[in-house]
């Protein structure tokens, strides 16, 4: 029979009591005058009569005043009777007394514990029992980290296994509180199955959820409605999956907002439906980010840089990031290309990727070509150097094919700048 944690101390108490009773009975029957027993000690007295002896042994767990009083009484009684008789009891009588000694194993049967009254939560606990109680440390009422709750939350444990970075989520208290209230099976599992069906691979789920933890607060039917809207606009399933990976908050926006954003780019840029769709597939942040940088850059291209509307259309469909690029970087790059390198608008339009290149790289290579007298960017003249080769190829190929010099020469020249 299995014992509960609270029954074990009571079982030991019953063992101590039974042991004490047995020891007292043994003392009454077999105590020798002048023999003293110590705590935890096992005695084996021998009685010699007609070359016969009786060995007995026992172990007690604690001494008692009752033990001492019983022993003193027996000693006095034996001294009074010594004058009348000095003979030891016969072997048969001693055997009968020995057989009457109760068995230790029979007295300590665990079945007797079934008769114990049921435990009560209000039952007082002794100091010894209290020491044996092991309790888990309480959870903090508030914390700046989710680390304290991971061991107690199945939801957090499974999110960690998926690769979610809790250190990013805990920076937003409202998001951390949301996760602690959610049940994995009821609230989170259905969202994960929806994302997998959408085309988000397992190895991307952790990264996605680390950024868009707010998706767990969205209604599943609303998410399905937004996907259905994009499909109605002829976005393929692969397109939607790519857009959601690159812009994790895409599905958090309502159908009305998505429709307004698509309408804005189609009207503002005067693009066809297909080109508008291709534009947002390549840069889905256009649907989720602010429109102010887009409007500002459109003015910069038209008013400050002097590009025509059709030229702007061509550049942004080639390099969509030009719509959200830093205004200062755009103006500095154009100023160097147009006013220092003397490259006209129509050539810059053919190679809009130059706006994605760091300006110092363009300067270093142009100055090196100028030093070698090979800086020629007019396609109508010999030794023409296209802008895409100037900015896109590695140094080794640039030196060998464009500059016709060694990399060591290029590096030495850079040290002089």
């Amino acid at each position: 029979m299995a014992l509960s944690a609270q029954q074990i101390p009571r079982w030991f108490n019953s063992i101590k009591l039974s042991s004490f009773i047995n020891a007292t009975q043994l003392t009454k029957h077999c105590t020798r005058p002048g023999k003293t027993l110590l705590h935890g000690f096992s005695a084996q007295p021998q009685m010699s009569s007609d070359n016969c002896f009786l060995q007995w042994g026992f172990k007690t767990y604690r001494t008692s005043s009752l033990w001492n009083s019983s022993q003193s009484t027996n000693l006095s009684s034996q001294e009074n009777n010594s004058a009348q008789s000095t003979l030891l009891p016969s072997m048969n009588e001693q055997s009968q007394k020995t057989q009457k000694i109760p068995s230790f194993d029979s007295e300590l049967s665990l079945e007797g514990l079934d008769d114990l009254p049921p435990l009560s939560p209000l039952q007082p606990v002794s100091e010894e029992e209290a020491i044996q109680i092991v309790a888990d440390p309480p959870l903090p009422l508030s914390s700046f980290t989710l680390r304290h709750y991971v061991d107690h939350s199945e939801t957090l444990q499974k999110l960690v296994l998926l690769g979610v970075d809790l250190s990013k989520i805990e920076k937003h208290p409202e998001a951390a509180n949301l996760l602690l209230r959610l049940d994995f099976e009821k609230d989170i599992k259905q969202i994960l199955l929806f994302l997998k069906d959408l085309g988000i691979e397992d190895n991307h789920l952790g990264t996605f959820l680390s950024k868009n933890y707010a998706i767990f607060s969205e209604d599943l039917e609303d998410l399905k409605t937004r996907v259905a809207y994009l499909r109605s606009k002829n976005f393929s399933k692969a397109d939607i999956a790519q857009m959601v990976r690159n812009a994790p908050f895409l599905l958090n926006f309502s159908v009305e907002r998505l429709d307004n954003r698509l309408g804005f780019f189609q009207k503002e840029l005067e693009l066809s439906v297909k080109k508008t769709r291709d534009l947002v597939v390549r840069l889905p942040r256009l649907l989720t980010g602010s429109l102010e940088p887009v409007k500002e850059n459109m003015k910069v291209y038209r008013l400050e840089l002097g590009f025509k509307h059709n030229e702007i259309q061509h550049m942004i469909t080639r390099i969509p990031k030009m719509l959200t690029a830093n205004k200062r970087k755009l103006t500095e790059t154009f100023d160097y290309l147009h006013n220092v390198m003397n490259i006209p608008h129509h050539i810059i339009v053919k190679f809009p990727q130059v706006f994605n290149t760091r300006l110092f790289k363009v300067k270093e290579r142009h100055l090196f070509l100028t030093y070698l007298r090979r800086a020629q960017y007019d396609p109508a003249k010999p030794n023409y150097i296209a802008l895409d080769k100037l900015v896109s190829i590695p140094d080794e190929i640039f030196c060998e094919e464009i500059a016709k010099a060694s990399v060591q020469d290029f590096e030495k020249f850079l040290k002089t700048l």
Side-chain angles (χ1 to χ4, degrees):
M1 181 187 68
L3 298 178
S4 66
Q6 295 183 353
Q7 285 178 327
I8 290 176
R10 300 172 64 185
W11 178 69
F12 277 112
N13 291 336
S14 67
I15 291 177
K16 295 177 181 179
L17 180 59
S18 299
S19 176
F20 173 74
I21 294 173
N22 294 339
T24 305
Q25 292 174 352
L26 287 170
T27 304
K28 289 180 180 180
H29 289 287
C30 307
T31 304
R32 293 176 57 191
K35 185 67 175 180
T36 303
L37 299 179
L38 300 178
H39 173 72
F41 179 77
S42 180
Q44 294 183 342
Q46 297 181 354
M47 292 175 292
S48 60
S49 177
D50 299 332
N51 296 326
C52 295
F53 62 90
L54 171 66
Q55 293 185 351
W56 53 272
F58 67 93
K59 182 178 290 187
T60 181
Y61 288 89
R62 59 181 178 181
T63 60
S64 172
S65 60
L66 180 59
W67 172 282
N68 296 329
S69 63
S70 174
Q71 189 176 17
S72 300
T73 303
N74 290 338
L75 289 174
S76 300
S77 176
Q78 289 177 3
E79 289 175 357
N80 294 333
N81 295 333
S82 62
Q84 299 176 2
S85 176
T86 58
L87 298 177
L88 293 174
S90 64
M91 195 63 190
N92 292 335
E93 293 176 353
Q94 190 65 38
S95 302
Q96 293 175 359
K97 293 180 179 181
T98 304
Q99 291 175 358
K100 292 181 180 179
I101 296 175
S103 172
F104 184 81
D105 295 335
S106 62
E107 289 293 332
L108 300 181
S109 175
L110 299 182
E111 296 179 357
L113 293 176
D114 293 337
D115 299 331
L116 295 175
L119 297 176
S120 171
L122 301 179
Q123 179 180 354
V125 181
S126 66
E127 184 176 352
E128 295 180 357
E129 293 175 339
I131 294 176
Q132 298 175 5
I133 298 176
V134 179
D136 294 331
L139 289 175
L141 297 178
S142 61
S143 177
F144 294 101
T145 176
L146 289 172
R147 176 172 54 87
H148 297 122
Y149 304 94
V150 172
D151 292 338
H152 305 274
S153 172
E154 179 187 9
T155 297
L156 296 182
Q157 292 173 9
K158 291 187 176 181
L159 289 177
V160 170
L161 293 177
L162 288 172
V164 177
D165 188 352
L166 297 182
S167 64
K168 294 182 178 180
I169 297 178
E170 64 189 15
K171 295 178 181 178
H172 308 276
E174 70 285 351
N177 291 331
L178 172 66
L179 291 185
L180 290 174
R181 293 194 303 267
L182 295 179
D183 181 84
F184 186 85
E185 294 294 331
K186 296 180 180 179
D187 305 317
I188 294 182
K189 186 176 181 179
Q190 56 183 355
I191 301 295
L192 297 179
L193 294 176
F194 166 77
L195 293 174
K196 292 191 66 175
D197 183 66
L198 192 63
I200 306 299
E201 296 83 358
D202 292 344
N203 57 341
H204 290 152
L205 278 175
T207 303
F208 176 87
L209 296 175
S210 298
K211 296 178 180 178
N212 186 16
Y213 43 81
I215 196 171
F216 294 126
S217 63
E218 297 288 335
D219 185 76
L220 182 60
E221 294 302 319
D222 290 340
L223 297 175
K224 292 180 179 179
T225 300
R226 294 159 193 169
V227 172
Y229 167 77
L230 294 175
R231 294 300 301 272
S232 69
K233 296 299 181 180
N234 293 325
F235 288 93
S236 66
K237 186 176 180 179
D239 290 339
I240 297 175
Q242 177 181 339
M243 293 166 66
V244 171
R245 281 194 299 269
N246 295 332
F249 292 96
L250 177 64
L251 296 182
N252 293 50
F253 294 99
S254 65
V255 170
E256 291 75 16
R257 172 162 178 165
L258 294 176
D259 187 67
N260 290 336
R261 286 297 179 93
L262 290 174
F264 169 81
F265 289 109
Q266 184 175 359
K267 180 180 179 180
E268 182 71 15
L269 304 178
E270 297 182 5
L271 298 175
S272 64
V273 174
K274 183 179 183 305
K275 287 186 176 182
T276 303
R277 184 168 56 248
D278 293 341
L279 179 70
V280 297
V281 168
R282 295 177 61 189
L283 190 63
R285 293 199 305 273
L286 293 174
L287 299 178
T288 62
S290 174
L291 290 177
E292 293 304 317
V294 176
K295 295 177 180 179
E296 184 68 20
N297 285 349
M298 292 296 295
K299 293 180 181 179
V300 170
Y301 292 132
R302 285 196 301 262
L303 303 179
E304 297 185 26
L305 306 185
F307 287 102
K308 299 177 182 178
H309 186 72
N310 61 333
E311 292 175 334
I312 298 174
Q313 284 182 326
H314 177 79
M315 289 190 297
I316 63 175
T317 52
R318 291 278 304 277
I319 310 295
K321 288 184 179 180
M322 291 182 64
L323 285 172
T324 58
N326 181 270
K327 175 184 175 182
R328 180 179 177 181
K329 178 183 178 182
L330 288 176
T331 54
E332 289 180 351
T333 301
F334 176 82
D335 180 69
Y336 194 83
L337 292 173
H338 187 67
N339 298 321
V340 177
M341 299 174 63
N342 296 319
I343 300 178
H345 283 76
H346 70 277
I347 294 182
I348 297 176
V349 170
K350 292 181 180 180
F351 307 102
Q353 60 267 34
V354 71
F355 289 102
N356 277 343
T357 307
R358 295 181 179 179
L359 182 57
F360 78 88
K361 185 176 182 179
V362 177
K363 290 181 177 180
E364 289 176 350
R365 294 188 174 186
H366 170 69
L367 293 175
F368 185 56
L369 292 175
T370 302
Y371 173 76
L372 298 175
R373 296 184 179 182
R374 301 185 64 84
Q376 206 287 98
Y377 308 108
D378 187 353
K381 298 180 180 179
N383 300 322
Y384 163 68
I385 298 175
L387 283 180
D388 59 338
K389 292 185 178 180
L390 178 69
V391 300
S392 60
I393 59 178
D395 288 343
E396 294 78 7
I397 299 179
F398 166 75
C399 293
E400 180 181 355
E401 297 183 1
I402 306 299
K404 307 297 182 181
S406 65
V407 177
Q408 291 75 15
D409 293 337
F410 182 50
E411 292 174 350
K412 290 180 181 179
F413 173 78
L414 295 179
K415 293 179 181 179
T416 62
L417 296 178

